[in-house]
Each structure stands twice: as C-alpha cells, then as structure tokens.
Amino acid sequence: MSTKVEKMVEFKITRFNPDNRKSYISTFKVPIRKGTTILDSLLYIKDNLDETLTFRHSCRMGICGSCAVNINGQPMLACYTQVLQLNADSLTIEPIANLPVIKDLVVDIQPFFEQYKKTTNILIKPEQEFKKTDQFVQSPAELKKFWDLTLCIKCSICYSACPAAIDEKFLGPESLTANYRFVADSRDQGCPGRLKPMADNIWLCTQCNSCTLFCPKLVGCANAIVDDHSLLVEAGALPKTVIDVLERVYKYHNPMGTHQSKRMDWARDLTVKAYPAATKADVLFFVCCSDVYDLRNQEVARAMVQMFNKLGTDFATLGAEEWCCGDHMLRLGEKGLFEELAKHNIEMFKKFNSNKIVTLSPHCYNTFKNDKPYADEKLNVQHYTEYLADAVKQGRIKPVKSVKRKVAYHDPCFLGKRNEVYDAPRQVLQAIPGLQIVEMKRTRQSSFCCGGGAGRVWTEDAQPEKRPCVSRVKEALALGVDTIAVACPYCVTTLEDAVKVLDVENKIAVKDVLELLKESV
Ligand code: SF4
Ligand code: SF4
Ligand code: FES
C-alpha cells in the first residue's frame, strides 16, 4: 500500500452497547492511502483511536465472508471495499440488516445459518451410487449449469438486503440458491425432497434483485429463485394464492374472454387511438394489465394520456391486443405462459408501426428490455418517467401550479435496482413548483422493496409487520413527509394497502409521479 495519505475521511459508525442496549454514533477521521480498505480503516480506528470498537473479520481477502457491514446504506465486504473508490469524504458504517446486533458492527449470523440448515447441502443419491468409480464424472456443460452458484462465501449480505427476509418463514436468497445449485447438479437425485422446504415460503420473494445486486461473488440468486419457481410449477406444487395469480393474469388475455370491453374502460372520456383502428403512431403506449383492471391505477393511465395530449404526441395503444408483458408469469416460473404472452406482444409490435414504446409500469419496461424473447428484438422502450423527464428538460412541458406537499420518492426495484433509472423520476418531481422533496433513508440502489413484485402484489398473506410495504410506509412517516411518490402501479397498490393497515390515511398519501405532475400543469 502507498505511504502517501490521499485524504482524511470521516467515519460515522453506528455502535451498540449490549450492556445498556443503547445505540450511539462515534465519529472518527481516518487517513486514507491508495488501496486502504474499509477493514483497514476500522483496524486503524481500533489501533489508534478507540480500542473498544468491535467488528468481525478474519481472512482479509474476501473468502471467509465474516466482515460484511453496511457502507453508506449498502451491504459490502469491508475487506473488499477500497475507500477511495467510494469517492466520499464521509462514510456511514452500520451493522448489516435483518440480523440481531451483538455489539457495534458484529451481528449474530446464526439465523442465516439456521435457514441454510433447512435445505440439504450435500449430494443426494442412492447409497450404492456412491460406490461407483465414475460417480463424479461430469461434462463441462453439466458443470456450467451450477458452477457460478457454488462461489458463495456465506457472508449473509444477500440475506441482509432481502425485503422478504423480514418474515422469518422465508428461507432467504442464499439457501434457495444453494438448493437450486444441487437440483442443477447432474450428480444429484434429490429433487423431489429438495422442493419441500421451500414450497410454502419461496413465494415471499419479490424478485427485487437486491441479493444479486449486492453479492460480492456475483452469485445470481434472483434468477436461481426463478428456476426454483419453475421446478415447483413443473411439479404442480403451488399454493392456491400463486395459482390464483397465474389464473388472474392469464384470464385477462384469453381471447374468448370478456376482457376486451374492460380494456378500454380506463380510457373513458378520453379519445385514445387503438389497434386495429390505428396501425401506426409515433409512440406506442403500453399500459400494463394492472392499470387496465385496477380502478386506482386507471387514474394514472388517464394522467399519462393527458400528458401525451398536452405534448401533442402522436400516440396509440394496442387496445384489446395488448396482452400482459408476462413479468409476473416469468418471475413465478411459468415460463411457458410467459413465452406465449411475449410471442403475441412481439407479433403486435411488429404489426404496429411506432418509433418507440412508452410503458407505465417498470415491470413491462424491464421485461421488454432485459428478458428474452423481448430482449432479442432490441425494442426502443422508455419508462414514462424517462419520456416526461426529456419533455421537461426540453421545455416542452412546464409545470407551473404550485403543489404544496412534502414528498419522499420511493424507487421501484424494477426501475432502479434492475435498470438504474434513478434520476428521471426525480427530475420530473424537481420541476414541480412547491414540492419539498426529501430522500428516504434507504434510497436509490439501497431502496427497500414495496413487496409487490413476482405476483406478491396479489398474494399478500404475511402479517402486517412482516410486509415490506408496511416497513416502507413507516420509514416515510419517520421522515415527516405527507406524500410518498411512486412510479409503478404495484407500488401504488402495496403502499396504499400499508397506509390503510397502519391507519394513517390522514397523515400520508401515495401518489404516482404522474399524478403530482398533472396537479401542476
Ligand atoms: S450468495 Fe453472495 S451475498 Fe449471499 S451469502 Fe453467498 S456470497 Fe454472500
Ligand atoms: S430477489 Fe429480493 S426478495 Fe427475492 S430473494 Fe433476492 S433480495 Fe429477497
Ligand atoms: S475478512 Fe474475510 S471476507 Fe472480509
């Protein structure tokens, strides 16, 4: 490590004294050289400034998994993280979440391992198979199916970042991934038994992607959980709540059903061009099945139509031929039905001549951009917040009326964590006069999921205190805001439910960014 001190960085460390059970914050200034890690800094503090500071570490090289802490709200390995790369003069260091704190930065990791022990993490096959000499022979292709999932170092970072893990019933990202790692292993024959421990709780996963985003070893937990879902779908081992979601989404798109008239209810009083009367427009507005069928979200769809009209945009919808993007189907493991929906929509995108697709929902947006077969089409797709942020920047839309609200913006996972769209919604809000905007404590990449993804918006059965949306509304209330701004139909539904559960309708409202913009133009 270089001897030259590049800068002094302030460390604000959350401490916990187990004797009086009190938390407090200690602040230290640490000299930072090229290559200084967070762990080096903590050791510097202990050696030179405060010998009572307590934290855990061992290998100092990203292998033992013991040194995870929250750095500026994000869980990371202290030994793996260089201070200069964080590009900050001040850092907050806290213990990781979802595990009880023992002292200062040391958490009790036992609950994480208790979940892990509920799955069988050795090969399962008949006794005589183990005696065969060729028992471990695998082709490179067979090895590739699970190899990346073996790189886990049991640091519990994914567990600490997981909104579903606030319900102790949930096995957690790593255990579910380890379970799939063995199912995907050609040497293993334990699949039916491996489905049992996860069958009743895996559906609590919202597919927020935090586990994958923060894993220091790039283990793709979120996708492995989708593969677990698929196994359960194939085995027909689905709880009724999940069957209801799958049926609900599919019945919307049954061409023999009664959905066609409903599809245009949201557009009543508005003149919206739709396929087949219209076969081309500059913008194809993809509305999202939630916005079509949910009365509350129809208001948001109408607000977007009004914005298009104000902007003079040449736009149209697919009308009855817009089928669900299939996001929920895919995340719940119903890959066959997802492909059926995707095939239809892609066919319609080809029939309809437009320059770009604008979606209301981050879920449609993410699926069109990132999930095959949509992704293969390289569709020109924008989320509505991106479309409107451009219009605001170009001066084509001018919010003028003052909107007197104190607002915290909640980043939807499928827009933020999955697509890094953090600024566009904020730019729209910042353009509205009168709005006082404050940031949530857990914001942008560290945002805390509303709990609505992967069909959970329609399957909520957890007790109120174990619902991510309730935790999120409490966080907003603590900030003293009167409005939570969102940019996703599922966030509207889940957070409004939480407001009702907490009986705080007179204190806080949930508004889509579009609704706030509409109040101002
Ligand atoms: S999957 Fe990644 S984040 Fe989770 S315990 Fe393993 S290494 Fe840590
Ligand atoms: S995708 Fe989100 S909810 Fe699902 S296991 Fe990962 S962190 Fe938890
Ligand atoms: S000290 Fe071992 S992973 Fe950081």
Side-chain angles (χ1 to χ4, degrees):
M1 193 189 301
S2 153
T3 51
K4 185 177 157 219
V5 173
E6 300 287 331
K7 63 175 178 177
M8 298 297 286
V9 170
E10 183 181 64
F11 277 65
K12 287 187 193 157
I13 302 179
T14 299
R15 316 279 300 267
F16 175 70
N17 180 344
D19 298 330
N20 60 16
R21 307 207 56 75
K22 289 217 165 115
S23 288
Y24 59 102
I25 291 176
S26 297
T27 304
F28 307 97
K29 288 268 186 192
V30 179
I32 303 298
R33 299 170 171 81
K34 274 194 188 134
T36 301
T37 63
I38 295 289
L39 180 58
D40 293 332
S41 308
L42 296 176
L43 289 165
Y44 173 88
I45 295 167
K46 192 167 181 72
D47 290 344
N48 300 284
L49 306 175
D50 183 348
E51 64 184 12
T52 68
L53 181 66
T54 308
F55 49 95
R56 188 186 274 137
H57 75 98
S58 177
C59 71
R60 296 202 200 184
M61 54 201 298
I63 290 173
C64 73
S66 68
C67 65
V69 287
N70 261 7
I71 305 167
N72 282 353
Q74 299 186 4
M76 302 181 202
L77 292 181
C79 71
Y80 234 36
T81 309
Q82 293 193 14
V83 179
L84 289 178
Q85 285 174 354
L86 297 171
N87 203 17
D89 295 326
S90 178
L91 297 170
T92 61
I93 312 287
E94 298 164 294
I96 52 172
N98 287 345
L99 292 163
V101 180
I102 297 173
K103 188 176 180 206
D104 292 349
L105 300 172
V106 177
V107 293
D108 181 1
I109 209 166
Q110 204 52 32
F112 167 78
F113 283 108
E114 288 303 325
Q115 300 294 43
Y116 186 64
K117 275 162 38 188
K118 289 180 189 162
T119 58
T120 309
N121 293 294
I122 50 168
L123 286 178
I124 299 174
K125 42 187 358 190
E127 194 59 39
Q128 61 274 22
E129 293 278 316
F130 284 101
K131 293 181 184 140
K132 290 187 184 165
T133 49
D134 61 346
Q135 62 184 315
F136 295 122
V137 173
Q138 277 188 314
S139 69
E142 285 169 331
L143 188 66
K144 198 166 179 278
K145 282 189 186 155
F146 69 91
W147 179 252
D148 288 352
L149 306 180
T150 67
L151 304 178
C152 170
I153 55 169
K154 310 286 179 291
C155 66
S156 75
I157 279 180
C158 53
Y159 189 81
S160 81
C162 175
I166 62 175
D167 189 331
E168 67 282 353
K169 202 166 85 171
F170 186 57
L171 281 191
E174 197 284 319
S175 304
L176 292 164
T177 302
N179 209 29
Y180 184 73
R181 167 253 177 277
F182 282 100
V183 173
D185 189 327
S186 59
R187 300 165 298 178
D188 190 79
Q189 295 172 23
C191 184
R194 293 192 188 279
L195 300 186
K196 282 197 193 108
M198 63 184 181
D200 71 332
N201 66 82
I202 192 171
W203 313 103
L204 290 170
C205 168
T206 68
Q207 282 293 298
C208 72
N209 212 37
S210 303
C211 46
T212 301
L213 197 63
F214 293 117
C215 174
K217 297 295 170 182
L218 309 179
V219 177
C221 292
N223 284 347
I225 289 171
V226 170
D227 289 331
D228 276 333
H229 284 161
S230 293
L231 292 169
L232 291 159
V233 167
E234 278 161 30
L238 303 180
K240 182 161 181 327
T241 45
V242 174
I243 294 171
D244 287 349
V245 171
L246 295 173
E247 281 180 354
R248 177 188 182 122
V249 177
Y250 196 66
K251 99 173 167 220
Y252 293 162
H253 308 288
N254 170 6
M256 304 306 288
T258 55
H259 67 291
Q260 283 92 339
S261 62
K262 278 195 176 179
R263 286 206 146 273
M264 296 310 285
D265 281 356
W266 65 275
R268 69 178 177 272
D269 309 329
L270 301 165
T271 313
V272 180
K273 284 196 294 180
Y275 185 91
T279 52
K280 66 177 193 169
D282 189 38
V283 168
L284 181 60
F285 177 32
F286 199 91
V287 189
C288 171
C289 59
S290 172
D291 292 304
V292 172
Y293 291 97
D294 180 301
L295 286 178
R296 172 70 181 82
N297 279 313
Q298 285 183 12
E299 291 168 29
V300 183
R302 273 190 224 111
M304 189 64 208
V305 169
Q306 284 164 355
M307 290 307 132
F308 278 139
N309 286 335
K310 263 194 193 308
L311 285 162
T313 307
D314 172 31
F315 76 100
T317 74
L318 287 178
E321 291 301 336
E322 181 197 295
W323 288 13
C324 175
C325 69
D327 165 70
H328 289 290
M329 294 285 198
L330 176 64
R331 313 284 161 218
L332 287 170
E334 242 306 2
K335 292 182 180 172
L337 288 181
F338 167 73
E339 271 159 30
E340 197 179 318
L341 295 171
K343 205 169 135 229
H344 172 85
N345 283 329
I346 289 170
E347 213 173 284
M348 292 312 301
F349 294 154
K350 285 181 180 157
K351 278 191 193 165
F352 195 93
N353 185 0
S354 73
N355 289 328
K356 73 167 67 162
I357 300 167
V358 172
T359 73
L360 263 191
S361 170
H363 293 256
C364 311
Y365 172 77
N366 173 69
T367 298
F368 293 161
K369 278 184 82 169
N370 302 320
D371 294 320
K372 284 172 178 277
Y374 291 116
D376 293 336
E377 301 296 319
K378 309 229 174 309
L379 300 164
N380 182 11
V381 55
Q382 277 192 313
H383 183 249
Y384 85 80
T385 53
E386 295 178 300
Y387 186 81
L388 292 176
D390 284 348
V392 166
K393 258 184 260 165
Q394 292 155 5
R396 292 195 297 125
I397 203 160
K398 289 198 177 76
V400 283
K401 289 183 215 148
S402 181
V403 180
K404 296 263 174 255
R405 286 176 183 271
K406 190 172 176 188
V407 174
Y409 174 67
H410 159 82
D411 289 279
C413 301
F414 279 67
L415 196 58
K417 288 177 205 272
R418 282 188 182 258
N419 289 289
E420 297 186 343
V421 179
Y422 297 114
D423 293 334
R426 287 174 171 80
Q427 284 159 0
V428 177
L429 292 173
Q430 281 154 6
I432 300 173
L435 272 197
Q436 188 189 344
I437 305 164
V438 290
E439 285 291 339
M440 297 282 242
K441 183 166 185 283
R442 296 174 287 186
T443 188
R444 299 174 83 94
Q445 207 175 37
S446 328
S447 174
F448 190 74
C449 177
C450 78
R456 217 179 136 176
V457 64
W458 297 306
T459 57
E460 193 55 79
D461 56 359
Q463 293 156 9
E465 70 279 9
K466 292 178 183 167
R467 295 186 199 170
C469 55
V470 170
S471 165
R472 195 59 164 159
V473 169
K474 282 185 183 165
E475 185 181 341
L477 285 167
L479 278 177
V481 298
D482 55 46
T483 306
I484 305 174
V486 298
C488 169
Y490 304 119
C491 301
V492 171
T493 305
T494 51
L495 295 174
E496 280 194 344
D497 277 356
V499 167
K500 283 183 201 135
V501 164
L502 290 167
D503 198 16
V504 288
E505 285 146 295
N506 55 348
K507 286 198 183 135
I508 198 158
V510 179
K511 292 274 175 192
D512 195 279
V513 169
L514 256 171
E515 295 176 294
L516 295 170
L517 182 64
K518 197 181 110 179
E519 283 182 40
S520 183
V521 294

